[in-house]
Amino acid sequence: MNELVPGGNTPLPDGILTLRVPGPFDVSALITDDGGKVRGDGDFVFFNQPAAPGARLDGDRLTIDPARLRPGAGRVTVVVSAADPATPLGRLPSPTVQVTSSDGRALARFTPPRPQRETVLLLAELYRRGTAWKLRALGQGYADGLAGVARDFGVDVIEDTAPSGATASATPVAGPDPDGFLGPVNSARAAAGSPPVRLDARLTAAARDHAGAMAARGRLASESPDGVSVYQRVTSTGYSYLTIGEHLVSGPRTPHEFVEYCLSAEQSRRTLCDPAFDQAGLAAVPDARSGDLYWTALWARPFSPAGLERTAHEVIALTNAERASAGLPPVAADAPLTVAAQAHSADMVARDFYAHTSPDGGRPWDRAAAAGSTRRTIGENIACGQRSPAEVVRGWMNSPGHRANILKRDFTHIGIGLAGGGRAGTYWTQLFGG
């Protein structure tokens, strides 16, 4: 696989290509002629218009079939913006585009220098040279939003004017509650002293897809036969989360019965009433053979830059509490180690692996050095599936090797990374330096 730098390019094979940009980003594409202009508004592929000839957007994945692009198309520019339009890209992890061939082979990856005040980034472009296609890494930022990029490429943009004090949202958040799900859920949460949750349309869509997959097989499972996990279904809808929980249940006939079932055991009751969650999605799909209902409930807190920073600080505080109990000095947050840790968590999600050594051979000290760290001693802990800082630090402390890293006297600095949406949920990285 080719690791590209800004301005670098690589040839592409024939056939369908998939470009994925995991994380709290909206992905879009502009299909243009060789002069860089669209032919019409239909050449702009984004969340409200997810398909054009030869191009389709599905959550964080953009699929391009160069042979089926409209006549005259010679370039496809891949654009990323923050899922929250008010958030500068500098407050988010640097986006990474990963390109794979139709047979799943990794072709190229590009991570640009971290943006600052820009809200939109031209990340990469596919362009035709003769009868062949190539990929070029860009990394060009815009400060005036997706509408400004679209105008520069020739798209007619009409922007709604929101009332004073209102904030426009590109994706609807609230979902309907036709079955009266929220009543019994929020009643149980109130009794436990937890704030209410509200339904999110994207979580509900992911829950419906997963419940349908379970009903089709007649079996409860966190992954469908094609290997897609419930967490991957969530991020494929464009929903990015800081923490997530789920209930996968069969048998209850109504939302009231479902909630009663979830309250009947300690672990499932804790998930239902977890104060960290503030959004939810629920679906029930019948098994056509038995008539049994298969339920999927998703509980989440959406991603935000402040939430990411808060979570990382909590992991550091818990780590330092363990060090203090052992009579050791605290470790301090370190910017390069944080960049490397965050990049590794995002990479494990994007390339669907779980290891200290990345598929291209990169190791913790390599990643630390690439991020600008000059620490002489490097150590790394990783974990996946834990839902909170307390859970992940507790798990590390219960493992002798991870515990040794946390309690190593030589380590003086630390970086924390976490990314949701992988096969096992949230992937955590704790990178130490000394």
Side-chain angles (χ1 to χ4, degrees):
M1 182 180 67
N2 286 322
E3 293 277 357
L4 297 179
V5 297
N9 64 76
T10 186
L12 296 170
D14 294 336
I16 298 173
L17 303 161
T18 299
L19 296 88
R20 187 184 179 204
V21 186
F25 307 106
D26 282 336
V27 182
S28 52
L30 290 144
I31 301 166
T32 63
D33 54 28
D34 291 337
K37 295 294 183 181
V38 300
R39 179 172 293 181
D41 293 352
D43 284 346
F44 186 23
V45 178
F46 66 118
F47 46 81
N48 279 342
Q49 184 171 272
R56 175 168 292 276
L57 180 63
D58 183 10
D60 61 4
R61 284 180 171 84
L62 177 67
T63 302
I64 303 293
D65 185 350
R68 296 185 58 203
L69 293 171
R70 58 126 173 115
R75 186 179 303 172
V76 180
T77 302
V78 182
V79 182
V80 293
S81 54
D84 175 4
T87 301
L89 289 171
R91 296 182 61 196
L92 302 177
S94 190
T96 296
V97 60
Q98 309 224 1
V99 185
T100 56
S101 60
S102 57
D103 60 2
R105 181 166 49 95
L107 300 173
R109 183 173 62 175
F110 172 55
T111 303
R114 186 167 184 158
Q116 298 300 318
R117 296 184 178 180
E118 297 93 334
T119 57
V120 174
L121 198 67
L122 306 187
L123 188 55
E125 65 178 6
L126 285 72
Y127 64 100
R128 187 179 56 210
R129 280 294 178 266
T131 59
W133 285 78
K134 303 181 77 172
L135 174 77
R136 178 184 290 119
L138 297 177
Q140 176 186 345
Y142 275 69
D144 53 352
L146 196 57
V149 175
R151 289 192 192 96
D152 282 358
F153 279 75
V155 178
D156 290 329
V157 178
I158 300 174
E159 295 179 295
D160 294 332
T161 301
S164 178
T167 301
S169 176
T171 306
V173 172
D177 187 22
D179 298 316
F181 173 57
L182 288 181
V185 165
N186 284 331
S187 176
R189 289 176 63 86
S194 297
V197 293
R198 66 184 188 277
L199 290 180
D200 179 275
R202 295 160 296 178
L203 289 175
T204 298
R208 185 181 304 111
D209 286 347
H210 197 75
M214 292 193 300
R217 297 182 70 191
R219 185 161 67 89
L220 296 174
S222 61
E223 288 189 11
S224 56
D226 58 3
V228 177
S229 77
V230 65
Y231 312 109
Q232 291 167 319
R233 290 187 193 280
V234 170
T235 51
S236 72
T237 68
Y239 188 100
S240 298
Y241 60 82
L242 275 175
T243 183
I244 196 166
E246 77 286 338
H247 286 104
L248 309 177
V249 177
S250 65
R253 294 163 295 178
T254 67
H256 281 275
E257 289 186 10
F258 172 80
V259 171
E260 287 301 316
Y261 178 89
C262 293
L263 292 174
S264 65
E266 177 61 27
Q267 179 59 48
S268 61
R269 181 168 61 250
R270 283 203 302 269
T271 299
L272 177 71
C273 298
D274 192 327
F277 301 136
D278 59 9
Q279 294 183 351
L282 174 82
V285 176
D287 179 339
R289 299 163 296 242
S290 66
D292 290 342
L293 286 179
Y294 281 77
W295 298 77
T296 298
L298 296 168
W299 319 90
R301 177 175 291 275
F303 177 91
S304 69
L308 176 65
E309 185 176 3
R310 184 170 58 249
T311 303
H313 285 172
E314 189 171 347
V315 173
I316 295 173
L318 291 168
T319 298
N320 280 331
E322 297 291 349
R323 288 176 65 87
S325 296
L328 298 171
V331 287
D334 179 86
L337 294 178
T338 298
V339 169
Q342 184 61 44
H344 189 56
S345 287
D347 192 28
M348 288 191 289
V349 169
R351 289 201 274 177
D352 194 17
F353 75 96
Y354 178 65
H356 293 287
T357 302
S358 61
D360 52 7
R363 296 169 295 179
W365 40 92
D366 300 321
R367 294 188 288 271
S373 174
T374 57
R375 306 292 167 192
R376 299 180 63 182
T377 305
I378 296 292
E380 183 179 79
N381 288 340
I382 58 174
C384 63
Q386 294 82 2
R387 297 173 181 172
S388 69
E391 188 177 344
V392 73
V393 173
R394 183 166 59 247
W396 281 327
M397 288 299 294
N398 287 336
S399 167
H402 298 100
R403 178 188 178 93
N405 272 340
I406 288 175
L407 300 182
K408 186 170 182 176
R409 183 176 294 276
D410 291 346
F411 289 145
T412 57
H413 290 79
I414 190 173
I416 303 297
L418 59 139
R423 190 180 300 272
T426 300
Y427 286 64
W428 305 78
T429 302
Q430 192 179 43
L431 191 60
F432 297 92

